[in-house]
Amino acid sequence: KQEVTQIPAALSVPEGENLVLNCSFTDSAIYNLQWFRQDPGKGLTSLLLIQSSQREQTSGRLNASLDKSSGRSTLYIAASQPGDSATYLCAVKVIIQGAQKLVFGQGTRLTINP
Amino acid sequence: DTEVTQTPKHLVMGMTNKKSLKCEQHMGHRAMYWYKQKAKKPPELMFVYSYEKLSINESVPSRFSPECPNSSLLNLHLHALQPEDSALYLCASSPTLANSYNSPLHFGNGTRLTVT
């Protein structure tokens, strides 16, 4: 059974710092890995998607890496801003019982202090 | 702004009520999903529709009844719910199940449901 773990569960840092969020998964047989952002009471916004054959993806101040063999992904946020405060979720796309599904981690609650 | 639109944003209903949640997308996606998210928990898959046909039902109780009347719309009919069903209900879409291997899911902002 695929399990996804995110560490830390919560993180609070001063504005301007670079930070890394971690995601690990137990089964390397994934199709892709997706990082989402969720603001309180809102839906999920897709940040980055890394295909299983890729090693990293970049979008602005965000960089996501994938090491499928070791079952790890990281989300790097450069020069953090208070607007980055949100919960960050990683999810892996797998085939379970013939159907494609996203398996989510529990999320990291990020607070950027001005 | 999200390209997947969900209505209503908030819903309060009694345990004997019948209500419906609605989801709409105009991106030409042919796979649509319902997820349930409890507070401080990750989303949990409920149903998947592919080409307007139910593809996955994650053993969801029959008091939740999905419907996909056309390729742009997805409904979730609610009847005789329990207080523990209170949650954020999220709709998502993707191009198709077959082509979604490397396509992201697009989520709506959800409906916050409270069952009293």
Side-chain angles (χ1 to χ4, degrees), chain A residues 1 5 20 22 42 49 66-67 69 85:
Chain A
K1 177 185 177 183
T5 303
V20 175
N22 297 293
K42 300 292 188 180
L49 181 147
L66 174 64
D67 184 340
S69 61
S85 298

Side-chain angles (χ1 to χ4, degrees), chain B residues 67-79:
Chain B
E67 178 196 21
C68 190
N70 61 57
S71 60
S72 299
L73 295 175
L74 184 67
N75 300 320
L76 186 62
H77 303 297
L78 314 173
H79 175 55

Side-chain angles (χ1 to χ4, degrees), chain A residues 31-32 34 36 38 41-46 49 51-52 89 93 95 97 99-102 104-106 109, chain B residues 33 35 37 40-43 45 48 56 58 88 90 97-98 100-105 107-110 112:
Chain A
Y31 285 90
N32 63 47
Q34 200 167 348
F36 293 91
Q38 187 173 31
K42 300 292 188 180
L44 279 67
T45 300
S46 179
L49 181 147
Q51 300 177 21
S52 61
L89 293 153
K93 181 171 283 185
I95 298 292
Q97 298 176 341
Q100 296 179 47
K101 298 181 182 178
L102 284 183
F104 284 88
Q106 296 288 323
R109 292 190 305 280
Chain B
Y33 311 75
Y35 282 82
Q37 186 178 25
K40 300 188 186 300
K41 296 291 186 181
L45 183 64
V48 181
I56 299 173
E58 289 287 86
L88 180 67
L90 294 163
L97 284 183
S100 68
Y101 286 96
N102 293 310
S103 297
L105 261 66
F107 282 84
N109 279 326
R112 174 73 60 188

Side-chain angles (χ1 to χ4, degrees), chain B residues 33 36 38 42 50 54 59 62 64 69 76 100 109 115:
Chain B
Y33 311 75
K36 173 182 177 179
K38 302 283 282 185
S50 179
L54 185 63
S59 301
S62 60
F64 295 91
L76 186 62
S100 68
N109 279 326
V115 182

